[in-house]
Amino acid sequence: SYRKCRVFYMRCLITGLQFIQDFSKIQSELASRIELENNFQIENIQLIAGVDLSYWDINERKYGTCCIVIIDYSTKGIIEKVYSYGEILIPYIPGFLAFRELPLVMEAVKKLTKQPDIYMFDGNGYLHYRHMGIATHASFFLNKPTIGVAKSYLKIQNVDFIMPDNLTGSYTDIVINNEVYGRTLRTTKNVKPIFVSCGNWIDLDTSTEVVMNCINNESGLPIPVRLADLETHKIRKQLMERGIEK
């Protein structure tokens, strides 16, 4: 629960830099259990959830909200929207974003009345220093296949991405030390590409197919992620106007 995570993270903070070592150990342990292959049948996909978070400050304290929007994979209609919010106790540390975001993600998940077949995160998955971006890390708590969709590129080991052709659906793989970490995907012609990576229990080709099937003429972002992004800004504005602090 969010409360238990808060207690755990506070203990970590009290021990100073030790919590970074603890987080690294957890990432290493989970990374050994990643499976980049489908554990489902593509034709059985019905519901896709988009997940995003947003932050703000009040009285020198940081707060966040996580919004989840579920859509029908066939009709692209919205099925359900939920959100959570609370104080953020972990500072932003590159490579450890999941530890900051996961408590609010799981609090929002608890409010869902529908069970999505796939969670699509606004963020990275396997495309991460230790293959443990938020999409991958969260999968072990969601027990569902996950996909990472990032708007900006996470540069790892000084490797740049290769720009794909200016054609809808064009892509180039992101290869680091002869391993494919993710994919630079141009979802729409004349629109800058996005960065897709597996979360867990799904392969990269299927991740790409699912993302492309969630693109319309309104944005270069897949619908679930775009709607979750819009929802986080809306909820953040409401909570800020209320001056929410708890």
Side-chain angles (χ1 to χ4, degrees), residues 36 125-127 135-136 146-148 181 196-200 202-204 207:
L36 303 185
Y126 202 72
L127 179 55
T136 303
T146 55
I147 300 172
Y181 276 52
V196 176
S197 57
C198 306
N200 203 3
I202 190 170
D203 62 45
L204 189 54
S207 298

Side-chain angles (χ1 to χ4, degrees), residues 220-234:
L221 290 173
I223 295 170
V225 168
R226 181 172 60 84
L227 291 178
D229 176 72
L230 292 173
E231 193 69 11
T232 58
H233 287 84
K234 171 187 168 185

Side-chain angles (χ1 to χ4, degrees), residues 138-194:
S139 70
F140 294 103
F141 297 85
L142 299 169
N143 293 313
K144 289 287 185 178
T146 55
I147 300 172
V149 177
K151 297 186 284 290
S152 58
Y153 179 59
L154 175 64
K155 193 172 185 177
I156 300 171
Q157 295 184 30
N158 207 36
V159 174
D160 289 312
F161 68 90
I162 299 172
M163 186 67 72
D165 293 337
N166 189 21
L167 296 170
T168 297
S170 293
Y171 65 82
T172 58
D173 285 345
I174 299 165
V175 182
I176 302 170
N177 289 336
N178 298 315
E179 181 182 11
V180 177
Y181 276 52
R183 185 165 284 176
T184 306
L185 175 65
R186 194 181 300 278
T187 60
T188 307
K189 185 178 181 179
N190 297 326
V191 175
K192 66 179 183 178
I194 58 176

Side-chain angles (χ1 to χ4, degrees), residues 76 168 187-189 191 211-223 226:
K76 307 303 185 290
T168 297
T187 60
T188 307
K189 185 178 181 179
V191 175
V211 167
M212 287 302 301
N213 283 339
C214 290
I215 297 295
N216 61 16
N217 59 8
E218 296 180 14
S219 172
L221 290 173
I223 295 170
R226 181 172 60 84

Side-chain angles (χ1 to χ4, degrees), residues 4-243:
K4 289 181 179 178
C5 287
R6 282 170 58 102
V7 172
F8 169 70
Y9 290 159
M10 284 302 294
R11 288 174 179 169
C12 290
L13 287 172
I14 290 171
T15 60
L17 292 178
Q18 178 64 39
F19 82 95
I20 294 181
Q21 298 173 357
D22 292 340
F23 288 174
S24 296
K25 182 179 179 181
I26 291 171
Q27 286 184 336
S28 296
E29 291 174 349
L30 292 177
S32 66
R33 295 159 48 192
I34 298 172
E35 296 179 11
L36 303 185
E37 56 185 31
N38 299 345
N39 70 351
F40 59 92
Q41 299 298 315
I42 297 177
E43 58 270 21
N44 292 335
I45 300 174
Q46 295 182 336
L47 302 178
I48 305 282
V51 186
D52 193 19
L53 290 92
S54 186
Y55 305 96
W56 69 96
D57 295 298
I58 297 179
N59 298 328
E60 299 184 352
R61 299 171 73 178
K62 185 166 290 291
Y63 296 85
T65 180
C66 172
C67 295
I68 301 177
V69 180
I70 297 179
I71 69 164
D72 184 291
Y73 188 53
S74 297
T75 68
K76 307 303 185 290
I78 296 175
I79 301 299
E80 185 174 17
K81 297 190 293 186
V82 299
Y83 72 91
S84 65
Y85 64 89
E87 185 178 359
I88 303 300
L89 301 175
I90 297 295
Y92 172 71
I93 305 173
F96 298 98
L97 185 61
F99 292 93
R100 191 184 204 214
E101 298 187 337
L102 194 57
L104 287 178
V105 171
M106 297 312 298
E107 194 71 15
V109 168
K110 285 165 50 178
K111 299 181 179 181
L112 291 173
T113 62
K114 303 291 185 181
Q115 290 300 312
D117 300 298
I118 296 175
Y119 284 86
M120 188 180 293
F121 283 79
D122 186 334
N124 291 303
Y126 202 72
L127 179 55
H128 177 272
Y129 309 106
R130 289 168 294 281
H131 300 317
M132 287 298 298
I134 180 63
T136 303
H137 196 138
S139 70
F140 294 103
F141 297 85
L142 299 169
N143 293 313
K144 289 287 185 178
T146 55
I147 300 172
V149 177
K151 297 186 284 290
S152 58
Y153 179 59
L154 175 64
K155 193 172 185 177
I156 300 171
Q157 295 184 30
N158 207 36
V159 174
D160 289 312
F161 68 90
I162 299 172
M163 186 67 72
D165 293 337
N166 189 21
L167 296 170
T168 297
S170 293
Y171 65 82
T172 58
D173 285 345
I174 299 165
V175 182
I176 302 170
N177 289 336
N178 298 315
E179 181 182 11
V180 177
Y181 276 52
R183 185 165 284 176
T184 306
L185 175 65
R186 194 181 300 278
T187 60
T188 307
K189 185 178 181 179
N190 297 326
V191 175
K192 66 179 183 178
I194 58 176
F195 304 94
V196 176
S197 57
C198 306
N200 203 3
W201 300 309
I202 190 170
D203 62 45
L204 189 54
D205 286 338
T206 303
S207 298
T208 302
E209 178 181 343
V210 171
V211 167
M212 287 302 301
N213 283 339
C214 290
I215 297 295
N216 61 16
N217 59 8
E218 296 180 14
S219 172
L221 290 173
I223 295 170
V225 168
R226 181 172 60 84
L227 291 178
D229 176 72
L230 292 173
E231 193 69 11
T232 58
H233 287 84
K234 171 187 168 185
I235 297 300
R236 179 180 65 180
K237 184 174 184 292
Q238 293 177 356
L239 292 172
M240 289 179 67
E241 289 175 349
R242 288 165 47 187

